[in-house]
Amino acid sequence: MAGDKGKLVYMVYRAVSYGLSPLLYLHLQWRRLRGLEHPLRWRERFGRPSLPRPPGPLLWFHAVSLGEGMAAIPVIKHCIQQRPDLTILMTTTTTSAFKVIKDELPVGVIYQFAPIDTPAAMDAFLGYWNPNAIFLIESELWPNLILGASRKGITLALLNARMSSKSFKCWSGPVALPLISLMLSKFSLIAPLSTLEAIHFQLLQAPPFCIDFAGDLKYAVGDVCFSKKEIRSVEDLQLQLVNRPVWMAASIHKGEEEGCHLEVQKEGLNVSLRSRDERICQRTNIYVVDTLGELRSLYKLTPIAVIGGSFLPGLAGHNISEAAAAGCAVLTGHYVGHFSHMVVKMQQSNPLSVLKVSGEGELIEALSELFDDAEVLGAHRMAAKQAFLSLSSRVLTNIWNLINSYVLEKTFCPEIR
């Protein structure tokens, strides 16, 4: 009965998304004019390919934006190592993700913009690329994608699965619950971020047998190799920072920058911009990295990283594992959203690994203590690095084992058994 109601709700969703297609086309054109869509590849958002599909089996990995896309890359690389016979298709939604990820993917991986979730766009995309399996990252639960793939017999997996409290409340409503229950029933694997996330998916009636744990893929993002270009760029910047106390305010949101630079502002602002290749001179006290894709390498230059998106109500934090992997002393505010499980896990591994501070006063006090006492700073840096290594050690192995047993063996059985 619940399944029938879910199908009915989906029929309504499909009809509405079909009817809205012309408006969505106009909306995407408006976004393109504002620079929010790729000026040349925007047609990919309607399922129109820009590259040929190679023959043979193909796996589709989809992430919405840069953070989720970066989390997928180590998994993609591991899949290529284990199964070089498979073609990998990677999609993201945002142009910011495209600018960075296109240079991070291994040779041979096909990169496209993801189609919008209308019947025509999704059916065209699935019909052309015809993937054998689809791996959605974190919270990309779109009805036309999931149910369209299921109709074609495509195996589905949700990796690093998470659901915010707001989304869980919305999906739990009497109208949405039958639809999400129907969608989740189509997955062969759901790998949640935490026990709480697993409970959320179970309460939304995901089949218990498809839920299994692997660890947080964002730990794998921090443990990466850097290109020669990145290394040269960082080495040049490192020379400019010699004999200067340095700390980084990373991923700062509007309204947070004033608190993070309160002490500096008292002395006056002397700012250099990385996008303009401005050098750091003796009077420079703020160096603004207004570029994309360099955060991981820049963590190598600073002993202290303050992770933004966490100091004001309504924010949801950012990935702290990259800073920990680089051996930074990690500070964050209290509004860490779905990264709360990461903070808790790291603090459980080592209480000194993440220092939570409230507001400007505590932040300034913590920074002063770290800079004034080399032993305290060293202890926090070592704790962050050790916690990262402990939590990241088997993430890729774990997720590969789940992908192989829940997805590939089912998809290609008995070929790979």
Side-chain angles (χ1 to χ4, degrees):
M1 196 72 177
D4 292 339
K5 187 174 181 182
K7 292 176 183 177
L8 178 61
V9 176
Y10 172 61
M11 289 175 62
V12 173
Y13 173 89
R14 186 173 175 87
V16 170
S17 60
Y18 178 83
L20 291 176
S21 295
L23 293 178
L24 291 173
Y25 178 88
L26 293 175
H27 177 68
L28 190 138
Q29 294 303 316
W30 176 74
R31 285 175 53 85
R32 181 172 65 90
L33 293 174
R34 294 182 61 210
L36 300 176
E37 298 288 341
H38 196 282
L40 300 177
R41 300 181 60 168
W42 59 270
R43 292 176 180 82
E44 295 172 18
R45 302 281 278 131
F46 293 98
R48 302 172 190 171
S50 61
L51 293 169
R53 189 209 190 278
L58 181 143
L59 306 181
W60 173 22
F61 284 80
H62 170 62
V64 61
S65 60
L66 181 57
E68 295 88 346
M70 293 300 293
I73 289 177
V75 184
I76 290 173
K77 290 180 177 178
H78 198 77
C79 284
I80 292 172
Q81 291 173 357
Q82 300 295 322
R83 291 294 305 273
D85 58 308
L86 301 177
T87 297
I88 305 293
L89 168 68
M90 173 76 180
T91 64
T92 58
T93 301
T94 64
T95 53
S96 60
F98 169 81
K99 291 175 183 177
V100 177
I101 291 176
K102 63 181 174 61
D103 298 321
E104 298 283 341
L105 288 169
V107 175
V109 174
I110 302 168
Y111 190 23
Q112 299 278 279
F113 281 97
I116 58 176
D117 197 54
T118 62
M122 196 57 67
D123 290 349
F125 186 92
L126 293 174
Y128 181 84
W129 293 105
N130 192 26
N132 297 84
I134 300 173
F135 299 91
L136 306 177
I137 310 298
E138 294 205 359
S139 55
E140 284 295 272
L141 297 170
W142 293 100
N144 286 321
L145 188 164
I146 293 168
L147 297 175
S150 177
R151 284 197 305 272
K152 291 176 66 67
I154 301 169
T155 309
L156 287 153
L158 185 62
L159 308 182
N160 248 32
R162 68 174 179 87
M163 184 169 291
S164 67
S165 298
K166 182 179 179 181
S167 295
F168 175 70
K169 184 177 180 180
C170 290
W171 281 119
S172 299
V175 175
L177 181 58
L179 177 58
I180 190 65
S181 174
L182 177 64
M183 291 162 60
L184 294 177
S185 72
K186 306 303 181 183
F187 282 89
S188 295
L189 169 65
I190 297 175
L193 280 172
S194 65
T195 303
L196 177 61
E197 303 289 356
I199 292 172
H200 280 167
F201 283 103
Q202 286 182 322
L203 290 174
L204 294 175
Q205 301 176 13
F209 58 81
C210 76
I211 297 176
D212 210 335
F213 293 90
D216 191 342
L217 289 179
K218 284 191 166 65
Y219 289 120
V221 174
D223 191 17
V224 296
C225 297
F226 298 109
S227 68
K228 292 181 179 179
K229 180 181 178 182
E230 288 176 309
I231 293 171
R232 284 195 301 268
S233 178
V234 169
E235 287 176 343
D236 178 59
L237 186 56
Q238 191 169 29
L239 291 174
Q240 300 176 51
L241 295 171
V242 169
N243 299 324
R244 300 186 61 154
V246 178
W247 64 281
M248 179 190 292
S251 303
I252 295 298
H253 288 232
K254 184 178 180 180
E256 293 184 303
E257 69 279 0
E258 294 182 5
C260 287
H261 294 289
L262 183 64
E263 289 295 292
V264 175
Q265 287 175 347
K266 290 180 180 179
E267 303 171 7
L269 294 176
N270 291 285
V271 180
S272 296
L273 297 180
R274 187 161 179 79
S275 62
R276 297 179 183 174
D277 292 323
E278 295 176 349
R279 306 286 292 181
I280 297 175
C281 63
Q282 187 175 358
R283 296 179 64 250
T284 303
N285 50 27
I286 295 181
Y287 185 66
V288 177
V289 181
D290 50 344
T291 55
L292 287 171
E294 296 191 288
L295 186 58
R296 293 171 300 157
S297 55
L298 292 174
Y299 279 133
K300 298 286 186 180
L301 303 181
T302 176
I304 302 171
V306 178
I307 312 301
S310 61
F311 290 94
L312 296 174
L315 299 180
H318 285 283
N319 186 7
I320 63 175
S321 71
E322 295 172 322
C328 298
V330 180
L331 288 79
T332 183
H334 286 266
Y335 303 100
V336 291
H338 64 266
F339 287 96
S340 59
H341 72 281
M342 182 180 284
V343 173
V344 169
K345 287 289 186 182
M346 289 191 65
Q347 289 180 329
Q348 287 175 344
S349 178
N350 192 314
L352 297 180
S353 62
V354 182
L355 180 60
K356 274 190 171 184
V357 293
S358 296
E360 300 166 5
E362 284 191 18
L363 176 59
I364 293 169
E365 183 180 343
L367 289 171
S368 298
E369 181 182 6
L370 292 171
F371 278 120
D372 291 343
D373 194 323
E375 288 189 10
V376 172
L377 176 58
H380 280 275
R381 296 183 70 180
M382 184 177 295
K385 183 72 172 183
Q386 290 175 343
F388 167 79
L389 292 173
S390 173
L391 293 167
S392 66
S393 61
R394 288 190 55 81
V395 170
L396 279 179
T397 301
N398 291 344
I399 198 66
W400 168 252
N401 289 337
L402 295 186
I403 288 174
N404 196 38
S405 59
Y406 282 84
V407 178
L408 299 187
E409 290 187 3
K410 175 180 179 179
T411 303
F412 301 109
C413 179
E415 177 184 337
I416 67 171
R417 288 198 172 187

